[in-house]
Amino acid sequence: MKLHVLDWTIIILYLIGMIGLSIYLSRGQKNKDDYYLGGNDTGAWPIAISTMATQCSTNSILGAPAFVAFSIGGGMLWLQYELAVPFAMIFLMIFLLPLYRRLGIISVYAYLEQRFDKRTRLVLSLLFQFIRAFATGVTVYGISIVIAYCTGISFTLAVVMLGVITIIYDSIGGMKAVIISDVIQMVVLYGAIIMTIIIAINLTGGWSETINAFDHTRLTALNLKTHGFDGNSFSFLAMFIGGFFLYVSYYGCDQSQVQRELSTKSIDDTNKALFLNGVLRFPLVLTYCFLGVCIGAFVSKHPDFINFLPIENGKPNYNLSVPVFVLKYFPIGAVGLVMVGLFSAAMSSLDSTINSLSATSMQDIFKSFLDKSFSEKQELYLSKVLTIFWGTVCTVFAFFVGDIADSIIVSMNKIGSLANGPILGVFLLGILTKRANGVGAISGLILGFIVNAIFWIYIPNVTWPWWNMIGCVVCFCTGMLLSYATRPVEQSIVGLTYSSFKTESKELFEIDWRKYYLILALWGIVIFLFCYNL
């Protein structure tokens, strides 16, 4: 199962096209706002699609179908990850993103300096840089293993291709290149998923045969029998409540996500991008979960397919079932298109990360902590250099995680949940209270981490989605208590808390967003009912 010359031609032309696009988009790039925020002239639709492209990583489009089709205890329960998304978007649209957008910041951690102090900003920024760079290095490793297997090239060449191409178009084109390339990559990726579904259904014998051949017990999408305090991660209650805190933290406090939302033309466009993400994300996830149904049904009719999967630790690697299916059953040329989709998913995860790492290094370390000043030209040049630096770090790091990557990949959700709650707690202390100060915020962050680590090590029956809520609550309560025990905030907080921002918010919006909040809430209920009736 090797790629044909035509397939390689399609892949190479696509990669060259990404570089050409970035060169075209870099025209007129004059300063940091152009580079990091795309000149604030990007509409809501591209930003929403770009955000979903980053979420739809290679791990998702390979791992989710494998979970649905083959994993013990798996199935459509994967959809429970999505139940809290519409409600998280409502919270973000009301409390967080409009305030950030109003302040005109590039790094989301700049808000913490304005609200608390430089130390709080630096701690959260460094924490983001460490976690995101480490996680991205592991992600590049895992993706490169898949690409190497599917294309027949060496692991080293796969890492270099993925890293170098992404670094080139990201460093040249900045955020505008990230967003536009993500939109293209999302279209290509979704087309590849649909193409795979159609061929799998045809090879299985049609729609009805596909549904009938799939194990119906795996179609259950809600687990209402457990609460997540018994070690079962796929509990509706844990995934909904813990997932709400997870998504608010990820979309509202993680620079790799927030930076795109800050690139809009207006505050209304920021909210519109969040609204679109809240509506469109579930159909996307449902599509690649249904791909798992199609692959599972095909294998039930053609069990010999399992023999084509590579063996790892004495068992077939089901995560490669989709690319192996493509390599074996797709016509020449179509294979290349699907491999482009695989590269697209990988690059869309990497490009936004290295751009956001560059932004936080530039804004939070060089300009804020070190108090350096630059001309517009110098700042733009250094921003590009930092993008190349972080891209190189993440790429090189992929060569050194081979011995730990498997365990880390398995634990990535746990690592994220260890940090997400306490980080969100710090931001909520600033946005929802007037009395909280930097001492309380940092102390709450540290204790939130410690408490979550205790749950991880000593109380494993409390499943990881709950840690997002627990860490946030511990951080928030600790921060408030210590803030009241120490001196109050001395600097002006006008416009930095939700209560003060709310007084001017009516003049900032041209759209009455209350009906959109209702639409998202109703959409969340529709998603629940759909999953309940599967």
Side-chain angles (χ1 to χ4, degrees), residues 101-248:
R101 185 67 180 80
R102 177 69 175 85
L103 294 174
I105 56 180
I106 291 177
S107 166
V108 67
Y109 310 109
Y111 167 77
L112 298 177
E113 179 179 352
Q114 295 182 39
R115 176 63 179 83
F116 296 124
D117 49 46
K118 283 189 177 183
R119 179 178 57 183
T120 307
R121 174 180 184 174
L122 180 65
V123 169
L124 269 293
S125 180
L126 290 176
L127 180 62
F128 161 77
Q129 291 174 48
F130 173 76
I131 292 176
R132 188 58 60 211
F134 179 76
T136 302
V138 176
T139 300
V140 170
Y141 170 84
I143 291 170
S144 298
I145 289 290
V146 175
I147 291 175
Y149 175 81
C150 293
T151 61
I153 62 177
S154 67
F155 168 77
T156 299
L157 183 57
V159 172
V160 171
M161 282 182 62
L162 176 61
V164 170
I165 297 298
T166 307
I167 290 170
I168 291 174
Y169 80 70
D170 201 342
S171 61
I172 295 173
M175 180 52 66
K176 189 175 288 289
V178 169
I179 292 173
I180 300 302
S181 64
D182 281 354
V183 171
I184 295 171
Q185 289 161 356
M186 186 74 258
V187 173
V188 172
L189 178 61
Y190 196 77
I193 295 172
I194 294 297
M195 189 188 310
T196 309
I197 287 174
I198 292 172
I199 291 179
I201 289 176
N202 287 335
L203 291 175
T204 305
W207 174 269
S208 60
E209 278 295 314
T210 299
I211 300 300
N212 292 332
F214 188 69
D215 183 356
H216 282 206
T217 61
R218 288 181 168 272
L219 290 176
T220 300
L222 291 181
N223 181 0
L224 301 174
K225 297 179 181 179
T226 64
H227 40 60
F229 296 108
D230 54 1
N232 190 324
S233 299
F234 287 90
S235 157
F236 163 72
L237 200 61
M239 293 307 304
F240 182 73
I241 298 177
F244 174 82
F245 284 84
L246 184 155
Y247 287 123
V248 170

